[in-house]
């Protein structure tokens, strides 16, 4: 199944190119100053990290309540240990909602880790981690967040890697009331990012540079969940590339007061994301 994503990747790239906005118009540089640069007439944005800056970041000018958010990214090449490159949604305030895609760097030749999390009303602890089936530093790849009233779906080149479903009916908070903006950043996190902080940033390899292009934010998310093919692809990713799943971390569950019980939303694993399948409008 290793080639299943290629046609979808190309299709999504074409869609992104057709509807891409302009970074000059659509985002604000939030920190890093000259280490965040908009290039190519607004079509490309680079973030640079060196010892003088510690990184840089930007956010969208608009906020959203639900939508589909695509970003093409090319990650820091070479020895990227200690770096974190991000693309995420977040509201503001102590009880914020957040949907995270964080790319944790590693030594040359070792795989990146894609770390994902969902925060609701200021509470996270819903991490899933993945390795990717390609080198994310060689070419641009498309990373997507679909957020609608029923599901949060995270995709890589239009292949779903994670579904977090609305399980409010069993008491699980779901982010559906606070508007969120799109954020992105490159920063130094060598206290935890690579092998739990055991591998530090090698500043002799600086500057570290990540690239973003074809940012598309559409309030019309277009889909509610996964179709049969989407569920098959999700299973493929889980079986081959998922390296951490909070529902199976018994020590963490005990720390959060759950004893050896899984959080209530974890029962949806067997059905590939609970409400993730819909007859009308699906991936």
């Amino acid at each position: 199944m290793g080639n299943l994503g290629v046609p979808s990747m190309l299709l999504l790239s074409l869609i992104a190119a057709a509807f891409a906005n302009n970074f000059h118009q659509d985002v604000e540089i939030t920190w890093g100053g000259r280490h965040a640069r908009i290039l190519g007439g607004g079509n490309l944005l680079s973030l640079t990290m060196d010892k003088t800056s510690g990184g840089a970041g930007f956010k969208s000018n608009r906020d959203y309540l639900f939508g589909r958010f695509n970003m093409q990214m090319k990650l820091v090449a070479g020895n990227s240990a200690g770096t974190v490159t991000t693309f995420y949604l977040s509201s503001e305030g102590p009880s914020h909602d957040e949907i995270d895609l964080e790319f944790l760097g590693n030594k040359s030749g070792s795989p990146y880790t894609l770390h994902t999390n969902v925060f609701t009303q200021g509470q996270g602890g819903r991490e899933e981690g993945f390795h990717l089936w390609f080198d994310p530093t060689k070419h641009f790849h498309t990373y997507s967040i679909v957020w609608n009233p029923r599901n949060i779906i995270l995709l890589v080149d239009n292949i779903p890697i994670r579904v977090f479903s609305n399980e409010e009916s069993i008491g699980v908070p779901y982010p559906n009331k606070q508007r969120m903006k799109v954020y992105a950043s490159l920063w130094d996190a060598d206290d935890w990012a690579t092998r739990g902080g055991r591998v530090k940033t090698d500043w002799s390899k600086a500057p570290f540079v990540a690239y973003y292009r074809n940012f598309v934010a559409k309030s019309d998310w277009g889909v509610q969940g996964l179709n049969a093919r989407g569920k098959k692809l999700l299973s493929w990713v889980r079986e081959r590339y998922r390296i951490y799943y909070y529902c199976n971390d018994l020590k963490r569950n005990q720390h959060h007061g759950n004893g050896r019980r899984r959080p209530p939303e974890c029962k949806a694993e067997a059905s590939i994301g609970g409400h993730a399948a819909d007859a009308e409008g699906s991936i």
Side-chain angles (χ1 to χ4, degrees):
M1 293 182 65
N3 294 322
L4 281 173
V6 174
S8 298
M9 176 186 69
L10 295 176
L11 176 60
L12 191 64
S13 296
L14 291 173
I15 293 172
F19 294 98
N21 297 318
N22 187 297
F23 282 118
H24 282 301
Q25 301 169 359
D26 298 323
V27 307
E28 170 191 354
I29 305 302
T30 52
W31 63 286
R34 62 184 177 83
H35 291 85
R37 299 180 62 201
I38 298 176
L39 308 166
N43 298 319
L44 181 69
L45 192 153
S46 68
L47 298 180
T48 300
M49 186 180 94
D50 57 31
K51 217 164 186 179
T52 67
S53 71
F58 64 92
K59 67 178 180 180
S60 64
N61 291 325
R62 289 187 56 190
D63 57 15
Y64 303 86
L65 185 63
F66 308 127
R68 177 166 183 147
F69 309 90
N70 300 334
M71 187 78 77
Q72 291 189 329
M73 300 168 60
K74 185 161 68 171
L75 303 184
V76 175
N79 184 352
S80 57
T83 69
V84 176
T85 308
T86 71
F87 164 50
Y88 63 102
L89 304 179
S90 183
S91 61
E92 297 181 349
S95 297
H96 75 292
D97 295 337
E98 187 171 320
I99 304 168
D100 288 337
L101 293 174
E102 298 179 319
F103 300 84
L104 313 185
N106 218 325
K107 283 188 172 181
S108 300
S110 298
Y112 263 81
T113 296
L114 171 50
H115 178 270
T116 71
N117 202 354
V118 177
F119 284 77
T120 306
Q121 299 170 18
Q123 298 297 316
R126 303 184 181 100
E127 296 94 341
E128 289 191 35
F130 305 85
H131 285 158
L132 299 172
W133 49 94
F134 54 83
D135 183 345
T137 73
K138 297 295 186 183
H139 305 283
F140 282 92
H141 291 267
T142 303
Y143 304 93
S144 305
I145 301 170
V146 173
W147 170 41
N148 62 52
R150 295 182 65 112
N151 292 295
I152 293 164
I153 307 171
L154 306 182
L155 305 103
V156 175
D157 290 334
N158 216 29
I159 296 175
I161 65 167
R162 178 174 184 179
V163 175
F164 183 83
S165 294
N166 185 338
E167 299 287 354
E168 288 182 308
S169 62
I170 58 172
V172 179
Y174 185 81
N176 55 12
K177 297 177 178 64
Q178 301 189 72
R179 300 181 70 85
M180 294 197 270
K181 289 190 174 185
V182 178
Y183 290 80
S185 59
L186 169 63
W187 53 289
D188 177 31
D190 74 355
D191 58 332
W192 66 272
T194 305
R195 298 190 64 189
R198 294 190 296 276
V199 181
K200 301 298 183 181
T201 303
D202 182 354
W203 291 106
S204 71
K205 300 297 190 294
F208 305 100
V209 185
Y211 296 93
Y212 296 78
R213 73 180 187 189
N214 288 343
F215 165 47
V216 182
K218 299 170 67 177
S219 56
D220 177 10
W221 58 87
V223 297
Q224 288 283 349
L226 300 183
N227 58 20
R229 184 174 185 274
K231 293 173 73 173
K232 186 176 181 181
L233 287 169
L234 180 63
S235 293
W236 174 70
V237 172
R238 286 176 170 175
E239 291 169 4
R240 295 185 178 222
Y241 299 104
R242 186 168 67 182
I243 59 172
Y244 178 82
Y245 180 40
Y246 73 105
C247 287
N248 293 337
D249 190 336
L250 297 180
K251 289 184 178 180
R252 186 184 187 94
N253 292 336
Q254 287 176 322
H255 178 73
H256 285 273
N258 294 325
R260 298 183 67 84
R261 294 178 290 109
R262 303 169 101 201
E265 69 269 22
C266 295
K267 71 178 182 61
E269 170 83 355
S271 63
I272 313 294
H275 299 304
D278 292 89
E280 181 179 354
S282 56
I283 293 174

